[in-house]
Amino acid sequence: MEITVLLFATLKDLVGTNKLLLALRDNETTIGDVRSALIEQYPDVKDNLKIALASINREFAFPADIVNDGDEVAFFPPVSGGCHDT
Amino acid sequence: MTLSDYPEFVGLPTDSIDHDAVIESITTPATGAVCLFTGMVRGETQKEGHLPSTDYLEYEAYEPMALAKMRQVIGEIRQMFPLVQGIAIYQRIGKLDVGQNTVLIACSSGHRDQGCFEAARYGIDRLKEIVPVWKKEVGVDGATWVEGEYKPSIEDQA
């Protein structure tokens, strides 16, 4: 199966793109597996990928959540929007 | 999410937020009070891990998820503050210079003691936890993405 992976902020800059297609095995593939596949592909970004938040189809997702063919998966750092008071 | 007849607005504009227009949009015939929180780009920071001098910020959003999570925040406000009437949440994106407004949370109610202050406070705090938006500080000393600290759990799903 194939999924779309979106990257934001630090991850987008480090990987060099905000969107990539990832081919994965068909059965019981989890967010944890997707993260591992990305780390294998981009070993230099390992530290950031390990702590990144994840989403499936625009909702927060967690390591054991199953990913299905055609899903939109995203990885991103903890959010920092709002005002500039941080 | 509670269905509401009261006005609700979310948005990720690149242009300046017109505060008067937002207030008007959430004012109903039963409204007597509006509490509006606004944030802006600060030029000077004295805090470790931040550039001391910021020229501008670059805001980026995961737009469809950000809009969905803003609507989730509105739903949470409705549950917690049932007397709040209109609710507007806007986060600007793109390049924003020092002094420009960046975010707006506005809540209306019949009277000031019916939750509009608390709702606006909750709205900005919650936005900074679950709405996928990031800012990059750009100054003479370089550029750095600001990363938040909040780790969402299953309770943060809509």
Side-chain angles (χ1 to χ4, degrees):
Chain A
M1 69 170 180
E2 191 171 69
I3 60 162
T4 303
V5 176
L6 304 179
L7 303 168
F8 292 93
T10 329
L11 288 167
K12 176 193 71 178
D13 285 0
L14 291 173
V15 171
T17 182
N18 64 353
K19 185 176 181 179
L20 44 97
L21 294 173
L22 205 60
L24 297 160
R25 66 189 163 84
D26 280 331
N27 295 320
E28 300 291 309
T29 301
T30 65
I31 280 290
D33 298 331
V34 178
R35 194 188 304 265
S36 301
L38 283 174
I39 288 172
E40 202 169 302
Q41 211 165 323
Y42 301 97
D44 295 348
V45 192
K46 182 180 179 179
D47 292 346
N48 295 77
L49 284 165
K50 273 167 88 172
I51 57 167
L53 307 182
S55 67
I56 301 175
N57 299 331
R58 301 156 187 181
E59 180 59 277
F60 292 117
F62 304 96
D65 289 346
I66 300 287
V67 175
N68 293 302
D69 187 37
D71 278 352
E72 180 180 291
V73 171
F75 288 93
F76 44 79
V79 310
S80 65
C83 43
H84 192 204
D85 62 350
T86 43
Chain B
M1 196 181 288
T2 317
L3 286 173
S4 171
D5 293 332
Y6 286 118
E8 295 177 349
F9 299 97
V10 296
L12 296 162
T14 51
D15 290 339
S16 183
I17 301 166
D18 181 341
H19 293 175
D20 286 341
V22 174
I23 292 169
E24 195 178 327
S25 74
I26 59 163
T27 298
T28 76
T31 295
V34 169
C35 184
L36 182 153
F37 175 85
T38 179
M40 57 281 303
V41 181
R42 186 188 54 245
E44 297 173 6
T45 302
Q46 294 179 319
K47 200 172 176 183
E48 208 176 322
H50 291 267
L51 299 175
S53 171
T54 301
D55 288 338
Y56 64 90
L57 294 184
E58 191 89 48
Y59 276 88
E60 171 178 296
Y62 181 8
E63 295 193 26
M65 182 170 171
L67 292 169
K69 288 290 160 189
M70 287 168 155
R71 288 189 201 97
Q72 180 182 332
V73 173
I74 287 181
E76 291 174 4
I77 288 173
R78 292 243 171 267
Q79 296 249 314
M80 296 172 71
F81 308 101
L83 296 178
V84 163
Q85 298 168 340
I87 304 170
I89 302 181
Y90 293 99
Q91 166 71 61
R92 281 178 78 187
I93 53 174
K95 184 188 169 195
L96 301 177
D97 292 317
V98 170
Q100 287 195 297
N101 59 33
T102 61
V103 69
L104 176 139
I105 317 279
C107 298
S108 64
S109 52
H111 302 271
R112 73 177 185 281
D113 61 357
Q114 291 181 333
C116 60
F117 284 98
E118 295 82 358
R121 175 64 197 257
Y122 179 81
I124 181 63
D125 289 348
R126 197 69 176 127
L127 178 139
K128 289 163 91 65
E129 289 180 344
I130 65 165
V131 175
V133 173
W134 304 268
K135 58 175 170 265
K136 188 190 238 177
E137 292 179 341
V138 183
V140 285
D141 302 317
T144 180
W145 282 104
V146 181
E147 299 194 355
E149 287 166 8
Y150 188 78
K151 297 271 197 263
S153 71
I154 198 138
E155 281 87 50
D156 294 308
Q157 293 181 334

